Amino acid sequence: MKKIETSSKISLLNLPESTLDVILELLSPIELINMSKVCTYLRGKCRSDHLWENHMKQKWGRVFGHFAFKEWQWHVTIITKEEGSVLNQQINILNGSLGSFSGSWPMLCVGSYLEECHNFKSLLLANHFMMALYLSLESGKFWFPAQLYRGLYVHDTLVSYNSITDTFRARTRSWNGRIVGNDIHWDKLRFSPVETSSCVRHVSDCFQELKPGDHIEIQWRGNTQAPYDWWYAVIGHLDSCNENENYCLCQNSETLVVEFKQYPQRSSMRKAKLTRHTEDSAGNYGGIRKLHSQEEIQKWNELLDHQRYI
């Protein structure tokens, strides 16, 4: 009996939409870009936000946080403004898009910067926001806010990705944008857990609840004309306390002992005494952020242990 041959071929477009969606979710970013060139229908599908949002979370979730995303939305607003508007004129002058500002001159912080922003305009006008965001990060055109680990403190920076070396460049968020690092690896960065910039004192909401043993990050600056960094510390006991938890009244005291364990016991930098009701807004210390995440605490402890063995 003769074998019946069939020349019919199954196209992706013949598949049920739910099946096609599953296939597209398995594609890498470069595969999605290539697939989008097949036809108009697949271009729309491959550029959809939900596909690129997954890739954003997988690759950028560790360093690109809520504040950085708000900066991206700022750029979207600027780029998609009508020609001739004040915001659009800013782009023509800079050949790029400036993000938000905080603080006051001369302590002025830039929230972000998007180079060659016109390259992303067509995607944004077509409402492909997440794909445009991913490509702006991958190309290194988007200088976004992130924090750089430097020993037992973190420094607010703007960072740009280098896809060839899989590392980052970092610059200060001040107006001059001085480069502070090259070839920075992923584990040296984190997204900022608060929206407060390094030019502004963070408003704390945990002062009254802090007690000995609590892990914190506290703003500190070398002088009043310098930006704040976030330093790791632990709340300590008063000198008058015997550190017996059954009799400890440190939490009820107006004096708050902040202990920086990276310094030797006899160092003058080891402990600082602050007043709970009056944050040191005019001096070296700023706001406090209490750490609740065990992952964050573990990261600081690892850095502390590493410093001890250097």
Side-chain angles (χ1 to χ4, degrees), residues 217-229:
E217 291 173 5
I218 182 169
Q219 286 179 313
W220 186 86
R221 56 187 177 183
N223 61 73
T224 56
Q225 297 303 311
Y228 288 108
D229 293 315

Side-chain angles (χ1 to χ4, degrees), residues 87-157:
L87 289 175
N88 203 271
Q89 287 173 6
Q90 171 193 299
I91 294 175
N92 295 331
I93 295 171
L94 297 170
N95 193 31
S97 169
L98 280 174
S100 66
F101 291 89
S102 58
S104 56
W105 189 263
M107 286 295 297
L108 195 63
C109 284
V110 181
S112 60
Y113 181 67
L114 180 61
E115 299 174 354
E116 300 176 16
C117 55
H118 281 304
N119 293 347
F120 309 101
K121 188 168 184 177
S122 61
L123 283 173
L124 294 175
L125 290 175
N127 295 327
H128 301 309
F129 302 116
M130 299 307 292
M131 180 180 180
L133 172 56
Y134 188 96
L135 295 180
S136 73
L137 291 169
E138 194 72 22
S139 64
K141 300 301 183 185
F142 189 17
W143 289 83
F144 63 94
Q147 292 184 332
L148 172 63
Y149 284 100
R150 287 187 155 185
L152 270 293
Y153 71 92
V154 289
H155 184 64
D156 279 316
T157 61

Side-chain angles (χ1 to χ4, degrees), residues 124-189:
L124 294 175
L125 290 175
N127 295 327
H128 301 309
F129 302 116
M130 299 307 292
M131 180 180 180
L133 172 56
Y134 188 96
L135 295 180
S136 73
L137 291 169
E138 194 72 22
S139 64
K141 300 301 183 185
F142 189 17
W143 289 83
F144 63 94
Q147 292 184 332
L148 172 63
Y149 284 100
R150 287 187 155 185
L152 270 293
Y153 71 92
V154 289
H155 184 64
D156 279 316
T157 61
L158 297 182
V159 298
S160 169
Y161 181 62
N162 184 333
S163 60
I164 298 174
T165 61
D166 192 31
T167 59
F168 295 84
R169 295 174 293 165
R171 66 198 318 160
T172 62
R173 288 183 57 187
S174 56
W175 182 253
N176 60 11
R178 177 174 52 87
I179 295 291
V180 292
N182 289 295
D183 300 321
I184 299 167
H185 293 279
W186 288 81
D187 62 348
K188 294 297 183 183
L189 295 175

